[in-house]
Amino acid sequence: MAQRTAKERLSGIVTAVQDEKFLARRLELAETALNTLGELGYARTSLREIAQNSEFTHGVFHYYFTDKLDLICCSVRQYKTRCVTRYDQVTAESKTRDELLEGFTQKLGETLRDEAPMHRLWYDLRAQALFEDGFRKDVVEIDQSLEDMVWRITVRYAELGGTTPTVQSAVMYALLDGLFQRALLKHLSNDRQAVPELLNQIKQLLPTVC
């Protein structure tokens, strides 16, 4: 019995290592796919096209992802997780309201300027979720993680001023997300005022709700 238990443990360890390697390769492939997805969007991108723009074969992508939908969800989830971590660092390190507001808006401006294709992909995916059942679970979870991130910033900003937010989490997220999406469209339309206007709007908004 003891010998069988040891074998079972060994088998479990091997399986865990294999699963970890499988997940690591999925994340590597998802990262590789981001540029192509951000450039072409959901509708115009296929697994074959993604493979052609990477060092991996079409067969490799098919092995690690069930279909294009699986790959896109993995890619966007990975990117948005990075975004959340970036803002959480600002929230944790800020000691005053001004410092938090400046750090938050600075990161927001950087990501709008430097990573517009990734945000365009996210909004494309979120719109597709209205029609594609397969997207909805991932989109709802990613959307919730972004709302939670915005709320952590809002609550911390209020705490630093000795106040409490006057709006609910969902409302605050909708306000910020709406401003950001509008600014993204203007930025993609080569409007040079898109970023500074967004940052000024955020700086005006936060003090009114906290």
Side-chain angles (χ1 to χ4, degrees):
M1 179 68 73
Q3 186 177 8
R4 199 169 343 169
T5 301
K7 285 183 178 179
E8 289 174 353
R9 285 179 186 163
L10 179 59
S11 176
I13 292 172
V14 170
T15 299
V17 170
Q18 290 173 339
D19 289 346
E20 188 174 335
K21 288 183 176 179
F22 187 85
L23 177 59
R25 178 49 66 94
R26 272 177 59 92
L27 294 178
E28 180 184 4
L29 292 169
E31 188 70 29
T32 300
L34 274 173
N35 286 337
T36 303
L37 289 167
E39 183 65 29
L40 298 179
Y42 164 74
R44 294 191 295 159
T45 307
S46 65
L47 284 182
R48 188 173 300 279
E49 198 152 22
I50 291 170
Q52 288 174 348
N53 290 321
S54 77
E55 59 184 289
F56 301 101
T57 67
H58 182 227
V60 169
F61 279 97
H62 259 302
Y63 179 76
Y64 285 95
F65 298 96
T66 55
D67 52 23
K68 181 178 75 170
L69 186 152
D70 184 23
L71 171 59
I72 291 176
C73 287
C74 183
S75 296
V76 174
R77 181 184 291 276
Q78 186 173 350
Y79 172 71
K80 286 301 183 181
T81 298
R82 268 205 313 273
C83 287
V84 169
T85 302
R86 180 188 307 160
Y87 294 116
D88 280 346
Q89 183 178 1
V90 173
T91 305
E93 294 176 355
S94 298
K95 304 301 181 185
T96 66
R97 283 164 69 98
D98 288 343
E99 189 177 343
L100 176 58
L101 190 55
E102 187 61 34
F104 175 49
T105 53
Q106 181 180 340
K107 292 292 184 184
L108 208 60
E110 288 174 0
T111 192
L112 183 56
R113 280 189 298 265
D114 301 338
E115 301 171 353
M118 299 299 100
H119 297 295
R120 176 172 60 185
L121 174 62
W122 160 242
Y123 286 115
D124 185 15
L125 183 64
R126 196 166 73 174
Q128 289 295 330
L130 297 173
F131 305 94
E132 296 271 3
D133 290 346
F135 279 134
R136 285 188 194 135
K137 181 176 182 295
D138 288 280
V139 165
V140 167
E141 289 178 359
I142 294 170
D143 213 38
Q144 186 62 55
S145 73
L146 295 174
E147 180 184 327
D148 292 343
M149 177 270 292
V150 167
W151 190 240
R152 286 193 293 273
I153 292 171
T154 304
V155 169
R156 181 58 179 158
Y157 184 81
E159 288 176 348
L160 290 170
T163 63
T164 56
T166 59
V167 296
Q168 295 178 335
S169 174
V171 174
M172 190 63 196
Y173 175 55
L175 289 170
L176 280 177
D177 183 64
L179 291 173
F180 187 86
Q181 186 175 13
R182 181 172 179 271
L184 176 63
L185 179 58
K186 294 178 71 173
H187 176 69
L188 292 171
S189 302
N190 298 315
D191 186 339
R192 294 183 179 180
Q193 294 304 308
V195 174
E197 282 181 2
L198 172 65
L199 304 193
N200 286 333
Q201 289 164 352
I202 301 300
K203 288 178 180 179
Q204 292 174 19
L205 173 64
L206 265 177
T208 65
V209 298
C210 298

